[in-house]
Amino acid sequence: MEKLARRIITYYKFFLIIWILLACGLAFYAIDLPSKLKGDGFEMEGEYKEVQEELSQSFNFPENTLFVVFERQTQQSETDFKKNIDAVLKDIDSISTTSSIVSPLETKGQYKKDIAYALLNFDRNDEEMKNAVRKVREVTDSYKGTSLTGQAVISEDMNEASQHDLKVAEMIGLPVALIVLLFAFGSLVAAVVPIVVGALTVVLALGILTLLEDYMDLSVFLLNVTPMIGLALSIDFALLFINRYKEEADQMPIKEAVIHTMGTAGKSILFSALCVFIGLAAMLVIDIDIFQTVAIGGMVVVAVAVISSLTLLPSILLLLGERLYKGKVFKNTNDSSHKWRSFAEAVMKRPIIITVIATLILLAGILPIKDIVLSIPDEQSLPATYDSRAAFTEINDAFHLKKESTVYMIAERKGSWDSQEGLKDLKKLIDHVESESIVKSVDSLFSISKLEDSKLLYQFLQSPEGKEKLEPAVKQFIKGDQLLLPVTLDAESQSKEAKQWVKKWSLKHTDFHLKVGGEAKFNQEIFEEITNKVGYGIALVLISTYLILMFAFRSAIIPLKAIIMNILGLTSTFGILVWIFQEGHFGLQPMDIALIIPVFVFSIVFGLSMDYEVFLISRIHEEYLRTGDNDEATVSGLASTSKIITSAALIMIVLTGAFAFTGVVPVKQIGIGIALAIFVDATIIRLLLVPSLMKLLGDWNWWLPFSKHNPKSLKKKA
């Protein structure tokens, strides 16, 4: 670190020019990022995707489908209502964007007295749907009581809502963060520097991610998560770096102060950033696009944050010199260190009682987690003001679209399915499927012809009348040696029963090569991929963090303590999230926890909380090496860092908690989850458990097997 510090001192103007050029160049790309975002990111390789491709290529299923929802207006006659539907669909047809339109006036089950919906089918991929959605929306917006919904529309609205949410969070978070920095430093210039570093960090990271768009699909959640992590982390790093720099600058020349700060706070930043980086990298083991893109987005912004903290920030400090302290808003004193020292001493006088009380508080927070319900985000993730959410909710309530689920089975056999033997096999397969109570119906040649016997059906197909009557159905269900079997389940696609049924049939051994698709299969694969892989991710984080902290502090005990406390704090956070969101407290409508939240919050917060652990224990370790007294080192470390760590935690809480005032539900849950976890870490863990356990373990805190640096007291005991 000393070599880097001396290079920065020599070439700090060059570093500043490079950063300015990079910021200006990548800003153009960063602005373009929202247009590059593609859907919610819940995509993965698997059987569901294979079936979807087969349905599109072999069975002429549309690549995308939208819903046009019609609501009958007050005093509008039923005749006028039907005329309005017909006029809207004719206008949509005239713009030549759809491959087919399924009208409620011609299809049973899509029309009720006061509400109806049409299906618009498209042979366009997700990228091409953006233009189609815009054109169709221009038509539907011109008619009263008509609205557009569907996955492509919801994705577009989610993107728009995410951009709005980011602006709202920045408008709330940044001014409050500036106030916290003013209290921490007392100087306007010193308070602005971390904001500048944070803003440049985010701009560069977003620009880099835009350039990566050619190689990967980017989820809309990236637009919120990346700035959230980038701003909070880079401002925290800057706060901690500047605080240590000011301490050193009071005792030595500015250039020497920078060198000493790089060797202490700079090294801590490097270790803490590595912990955050590994926490995010752990998400890469889950092979789902949203986890892959958010992990890469987070890793990029963490890398940029640590580089900006160790190059841009010291360059700015060297450029400002004594001007860093200009713009005094109020007198900044160090009296608070005496209060923190008194607090630490008070806690360490009653370590057992404090440890028990703190643990009980955390366990109380954990209790609601037993009732956690995880679900994949859907249209309910959008703010209630969006028409696409309201429209889908209305047709779901009126037509019960989600109470049942359709599973698409594709069976392949040697030889044709419409032969006598093929029909016999088909009947056998249908009987097997229909024998299960969850199955409501199976669409096939048998259900359309209303014939139950395979021989009779074969004979009917051979007759001119039967061939003419069933030819459309044959084309619909049979393509060469492939058979399509739509199965309607009497269960919601997110239900445990539906997911278990599709998994069982995917694994079932039959006389045919059988593949299963549909929304239930999609949900089953997503849930299973996460549950099967999340353990590996957690293990990677825990083992890597342990080794990093053991290397940093030359201790086997402190990393173990930190990991256990982190797990307790995070689990308690998840319990509180269940209490807030699922039970609908603080005026919120009860809602499930988004499936991504536990993984996101764990991966992000585990590293972030280690950030404070590294800064605190680094200072305690410095004091311990100097004095050899564990208790005095703990008190001194807490007294000298508590104010700045509390300020850093408060900034993190403000910047992430600001997303509580946003509309996209998963983003709101991520923001509140991170803010809660940091609050728990900065109060119960950092102020109560850390000093209590440091006191209880004494010199054992610094024990490391086979180390020459073990405490003398331990050597004597040995």
Side-chain angles (χ1 to χ4, degrees):
M1 295 298 282
E2 185 177 341
K3 286 184 179 179
L4 176 61
R6 293 194 182 279
R7 285 186 180 277
I8 291 170
I9 289 170
T10 306
Y11 303 108
Y12 72 90
K13 290 181 180 178
F14 172 77
F15 278 101
L16 286 171
I17 291 168
I18 292 295
W19 271 96
I20 291 168
L21 291 175
L22 283 172
C24 293
L26 289 173
F28 289 103
Y29 292 100
I31 293 168
D32 199 35
L33 180 62
S35 66
K36 304 291 184 182
L37 303 178
K38 300 174 182 177
D40 57 17
F42 279 94
E43 291 184 23
M44 60 175 286
E45 297 296 326
E47 194 172 331
Y48 165 80
K49 189 173 181 180
E50 290 175 14
V51 171
Q52 286 296 105
E53 290 173 355
E54 203 66 62
L55 290 173
S56 177
Q57 293 170 8
S58 300
F59 294 94
N60 299 319
F61 271 54
E63 287 193 51
N64 271 287
T65 299
L66 299 182
F67 299 85
V68 181
V69 182
F70 305 94
E71 292 180 84
R72 188 172 168 184
Q73 301 297 292
T74 307
Q75 297 180 339
Q76 185 180 35
S77 68
E78 187 169 2
T79 302
D80 288 340
F81 182 44
K82 289 181 177 180
K83 284 181 179 178
N84 183 71
I85 293 172
D86 189 55
V88 172
L89 297 183
K90 281 181 178 177
D91 281 356
I92 292 173
D93 190 40
S94 68
I95 60 177
S96 302
T97 58
T98 60
S99 58
S100 64
I101 297 175
V102 182
S103 170
L105 304 179
E106 300 168 358
T107 308
K108 186 179 178 182
Q110 293 178 207
Y111 182 92
K112 287 189 175 182
K113 186 178 179 181
D114 296 319
I115 188 169
Y117 70 92
L119 296 175
L120 308 182
N121 296 322
F122 299 83
D123 290 331
R124 297 167 181 258
N125 59 33
D126 292 341
E127 185 66 28
E128 294 168 334
M129 281 300 294
K130 291 183 178 181
N131 190 46
V133 167
R134 181 182 58 79
K135 288 183 176 180
V136 175
R137 243 180 179 160
E138 288 174 0
V139 175
T140 56
D141 287 350
S142 65
Y143 287 87
K144 286 185 178 180
T146 306
S147 49
L148 188 67
T149 188
Q151 186 56 50
V153 182
I154 290 167
S155 293
E156 285 291 299
D157 287 348
M158 196 79 76
N159 193 340
E160 180 186 299
S162 296
Q163 293 179 57
H164 176 265
D165 284 356
L166 181 59
K167 291 175 185 175
V168 170
E170 287 174 346
M171 287 173 64
I172 296 170
L174 288 176
V176 179
L178 181 60
I179 293 169
V180 175
L181 289 166
L182 281 171
F183 275 101
F185 296 136
S187 159
L188 183 60
V189 174
V192 168
V193 169
I195 302 289
V196 171
V197 173
L200 289 174
T201 297
V202 171
V203 168
L204 260 68
L206 294 180
I208 293 168
L209 289 171
T210 307
L211 294 174
L212 292 176
E213 185 270 337
D214 289 337
Y215 307 98
M216 58 191 296
D217 291 337
L218 302 177
S219 164
V220 294
F221 294 116
L222 201 65
L223 193 61
N224 295 117
V225 175
T226 301
M228 185 193 299
I229 298 170
L231 276 173
L233 198 62
S234 53
I235 291 175
D236 265 12
F237 284 169
L239 172 65
L240 295 159
F241 191 98
I242 292 171
N243 181 70
R244 187 59 183 260
Y245 165 77
K246 287 181 71 178
E247 289 180 14
E248 302 292 351
D250 287 341
Q251 303 172 23
M252 61 188 74
I254 288 173
K255 291 182 180 180
E256 289 301 312
V258 169
I259 293 172
H260 278 261
T261 304
M262 288 284 282
T264 53
K267 193 178 290 184
S268 298
I269 286 171
L270 200 57
F271 278 118
S272 60
L274 190 56
C275 290
V276 180
F277 191 89
I278 288 170
L280 291 161
M283 284 194 280
L284 291 173
V285 303
I286 301 174
D287 195 16
I288 301 173
D289 284 359
I290 187 171
F291 293 102
Q292 301 279 309
T293 58
V294 170
I296 291 170
M299 290 160 67
V300 167
V301 80
V302 169
V304 176
V306 75
I307 293 170
S308 67
S309 299
L310 299 180
T311 59
L312 173 63
L313 179 58
S315 298
I316 292 174
L317 296 180
L318 287 164
L319 179 70
L320 291 173
E322 293 295 332
R323 287 170 292 182
L324 178 68
Y325 310 108
K326 282 196 171 184
K328 285 280 184 181
V329 178
F330 50 82
K331 189 176 180 181
N332 192 16
T333 66
N334 295 317
D335 292 341
S336 62
S337 63
H338 301 296
K339 296 176 183 177
W340 286 113
R341 173 176 282 274
S342 300
F343 178 83
E345 288 172 346
V347 170
M348 292 175 72
K349 284 179 183 177
R350 306 168 185 82
I352 296 175
I353 294 174
I354 296 294
T355 300
V356 170
I357 291 172
T359 304
L360 288 174
I361 293 170
L362 292 175
L363 291 174
I366 291 171
L367 288 176
I369 206 170
K370 67 183 187 301
D371 300 318
I372 191 169
V373 178
L374 301 173
S375 63
I376 295 173
D378 55 16
E379 77 285 346
Q380 296 298 315
S381 299
L382 278 170
T385 53
Y386 277 79
D387 290 343
S388 56
R389 170 182 167 172
F392 195 90
T393 301
E394 285 168 2
I395 58 171
N396 181 51
D397 292 343
F399 297 96
H400 309 295
L401 300 182
K402 288 189 175 182
K403 287 196 173 180
E404 299 173 351
S405 55
T406 301
V407 173
Y408 297 100
M409 303 176 76
I410 295 179
E412 191 175 326
R413 72 184 292 275
K414 291 181 180 179
S416 175
W417 281 97
D418 56 359
S419 66
Q420 190 165 351
E421 283 301 313
L423 291 172
K424 185 178 178 181
D425 287 343
L426 173 56
K427 179 61 176 171
K428 184 179 176 182
L429 177 59
I430 291 170
D431 288 344
H432 193 178
V433 173
E434 287 183 332
S435 66
E436 304 204 33
S437 58
I438 193 174
V439 176
K440 186 173 182 180
S441 64
V442 179
D443 293 335
S444 69
L445 293 175
F446 288 96
S447 63
I448 289 175
S449 66
K450 303 196 183 313
L451 294 172
E452 296 294 327
D453 188 273
S454 60
K455 289 182 180 179
L456 291 175
L457 179 56
Y458 178 73
Q459 291 171 3
F460 187 62
L461 279 170
Q462 302 311 303
S463 67
E465 178 192 354
K467 190 173 184 180
E468 182 182 355
K469 184 177 180 181
L470 293 181
E471 186 176 8
V474 172
K475 289 181 178 179
Q476 180 184 353
F477 294 119
I478 299 173
K479 296 291 180 186
D481 58 359
Q482 287 188 316
L483 167 77
L484 171 62
L485 212 61
V487 179
T488 302
L489 302 182
D490 193 13
E492 293 184 14
S493 61
Q494 292 229 32
S495 68
K496 183 180 178 181
E497 295 77 13
K499 287 184 286 191
Q500 286 177 340
W501 191 87
V502 294
K503 182 180 180 181
K504 182 178 75 174
W505 274 90
S506 287
L507 299 173
K508 191 180 283 290
H509 294 289
T510 66
D511 296 333
F512 327 108
H513 178 57
L514 196 66
K515 290 190 288 189
V516 180
E519 195 174 345
K521 181 62 180 174
F522 167 79
N523 292 332
Q524 177 255 319
E525 286 184 338
I526 292 288
F527 272 83
E528 202 156 280
E529 174 67 16
I530 293 173
T531 53
N532 288 346
K533 300 281 186 69
V534 71
Y536 296 110
I538 291 172
L540 173 65
V541 173
L542 298 184
I543 294 169
S544 302
T545 302
Y546 183 84
L547 293 174
I548 290 167
L549 295 184
M550 185 174 70
F551 176 77
F553 301 128
R554 300 290 191 273
S555 167
I557 303 300
I558 284 176
L560 185 61
K561 259 193 325 180
I563 287 170
I564 292 171
M565 287 188 293
N566 253 12
I567 291 172
L568 273 174
L570 280 167
T571 312
S572 183
T573 298
F574 295 145
I576 298 169
L577 279 178
V578 170
W579 182 78
I580 292 172
F581 285 97
Q582 280 187 207
E583 298 182 20
H585 290 92
F586 301 111
L588 292 173
Q589 182 182 350
M591 61 190 78
D592 295 345
I593 304 297
L595 182 61
I596 57 176
I597 300 303
V599 180
F600 276 12
V601 173
F602 174 84
S603 299
I604 295 168
V605 173
F606 197 90
L608 290 178
S609 55
M610 282 301 174
D611 181 17
Y612 305 129
E613 182 78 11
V614 167
F615 279 99
L616 173 59
I617 300 300
S618 293
R619 201 57 175 265
I620 294 174
H621 192 224
E622 282 181 45
E623 293 296 322
Y624 183 74
L625 292 175
R626 187 176 64 82
T627 64
D629 186 334
N630 176 76
D631 290 0
E632 174 58 27
T634 302
V635 171
S636 297
L638 279 164
S640 60
T641 62
S642 288
K643 176 188 174 183
I644 208 68
I645 287 178
T646 302
S647 298
L650 185 56
I651 287 171
M652 187 76 73
I653 290 167
V654 166
L655 290 173
T656 57
F659 285 87
F661 301 97
T662 59
V664 179
V665 174
V667 174
K668 186 193 293 278
Q669 290 180 347
I670 291 171
I672 292 176
I674 294 174
L676 273 172
I678 297 298
F679 175 77
V680 169
D681 182 82
T683 54
I684 298 170
I685 292 175
R686 209 62 50 211
L687 297 182
L688 299 178
L689 277 177
V690 167
S692 298
L693 292 174
M694 291 295 290
K695 172 67 176 178
L696 287 172
L697 291 170
D699 287 331
W700 281 97
N701 285 296
W702 311 104
W703 177 75
L704 182 67
F706 314 112
S707 173
K708 295 179 182 180
H709 303 288
N710 279 323
K712 293 179 181 179
S713 58
L714 293 181
K715 289 183 180 179
K716 289 179 181 178
K717 289 178 184 178

